[in-house]
Amino acid sequence: MDTIQTQRLTLRPFTPDDAPALFAVFSLPEVARWSGTGTPMTDVSEAQARIERMPVRAGDHPAAGLFAVVPHDTGRVVGMALLVRIPASKGFDGDDHEVGWHLHPDAWGNGFATEAATALVARGFAAGMPRVLAVTDPDNVRSQAVCTRLGMTDLGLRPDWYDRELRAFGLDRP
Ligand SMILES: CC(C)(COP(=O)(O)OP(=O)(O)OC[C@H]1O[C@@H](n2cnc3c(N)ncnc32)[C@H](O)[C@@H]1OP(=O)(O)O)[C@@H](O)C(=O)NCCC(=O)NCCS
């Protein structure tokens, strides 16, 4: 997995040394509530395990990956941006990819999620993905605003992924 440069960010693979920074993000209820089980991490070992699972989580598409988001001005990891295979719900088919974002609250309000996701969507399209999805908790207004800023189409509430009803957004390859 390679490194991506945007105007203000480096997007790079996680290393085991990033576990404390990842833990600092996912131990916060205001971040954790919107992903997975919704339970904040309580020990840095959970972040280590998550980093170890990342290659499997990404899927085998060459453009897919989970990237540490590192602003050029501080050089510190402020969160994660991802382009990964999206798991279809039971009884649904699908071979789609999703773009996603999770940042430390100190980094919100800078356009970093949108800047990172713009680069990842372009990467996916350049590598042949026909469309990229994003799925959000129906109440996750901040995340839905990122989808809108990316120019994604609101697909409404869908049960197709993660065995849950989520508000989905999609963008077709231009
Ligand atoms: C979802 C999340 C990543 C959104 O972060 P964000 O910083 O609001 O999103 P963006 O990167 O698009 O930034 C947009 C904000 O930065 C501001 N901004 C400042 N400088 C900017 C710039 N140079 N370019 C663009 N926007 C800029 C925008 O005005 C906007 O502010 P507003 O929210 O007050 O309107 C963040 O809230 C988060 O990590 N939440 C918890 C985890 C989560 O929900 N993940 C998604 C699961 S589906």
Side-chain angles (χ1 to χ4, degrees), residues 7-8 25-26 28-35 78 80 98-105 107-116 134-137 140-147 149-150 166-167:
Q7 190 186 347
R8 297 177 294 165
V25 175
F26 283 98
L28 298 174
E30 61 267 48
V31 175
R33 67 176 287 206
W34 303 117
S35 63
V78 297
M80 167 161 83
E98 65 170 319
V99 62
W101 35 75
H102 309 273
L103 300 180
H104 192 286
W108 297 2
N110 293 299
F112 289 158
T114 298
E115 186 168 320
V135 290
T136 68
D137 184 288
N140 194 348
V141 176
R142 285 197 84 106
S143 192
Q144 289 155 11
V146 179
C147 297
R149 282 190 280 273
L150 289 171
L166 293 166
R167 186 160 165 199

Side-chain angles (χ1 to χ4, degrees), residues 1 13-16 47-67 80 82-85 97:
M1 204 171 89
F14 280 89
T15 72
Q48 282 159 355
R50 191 149 179 180
I51 290 169
E52 282 165 20
R53 284 197 307 270
M54 284 179 178
V56 173
R57 172 69 187 93
D60 51 15
H61 194 288
L66 296 96
F67 297 84
M80 167 161 83
L82 51 91
L83 180 68
V84 298
R85 181 99 192 274
H97 289 82

Side-chain angles (χ1 to χ4, degrees), residues 36-163:
T37 62
T39 311
M41 290 181 182
T42 55
D43 192 275
V44 71
S45 62
E46 294 171 70
Q48 282 159 355
R50 191 149 179 180
I51 290 169
E52 282 165 20
R53 284 197 307 270
M54 284 179 178
V56 173
R57 172 69 187 93
D60 51 15
H61 194 288
L66 296 96
F67 297 84
V69 177
V70 187
H72 294 154
D73 60 354
T74 63
R76 290 178 190 273
V77 175
V78 297
M80 167 161 83
L82 51 91
L83 180 68
V84 298
R85 181 99 192 274
I86 185 169
S89 295
K90 275 191 205 73
F92 286 80
D93 287 329
D95 190 21
D96 277 299
H97 289 82
E98 65 170 319
V99 62
W101 35 75
H102 309 273
L103 300 180
H104 192 286
D106 291 350
W108 297 2
N110 293 299
F112 289 158
T114 298
E115 186 168 320
T118 299
L120 292 184
V121 168
R123 172 186 171 90
F125 289 153
M129 291 180 187
R131 71 168 176 169
V132 174
L133 300 170
V135 290
T136 68
D137 184 288
D139 296 328
N140 194 348
V141 176
R142 285 197 84 106
S143 192
Q144 289 155 11
V146 179
C147 297
T148 302
R149 282 190 280 273
L150 289 171
M152 300 182 102
T153 300
D154 187 348
L155 305 174
L157 288 177
R158 300 283 190 100
D160 306 39
W161 304 282
Y162 287 104
D163 293 316

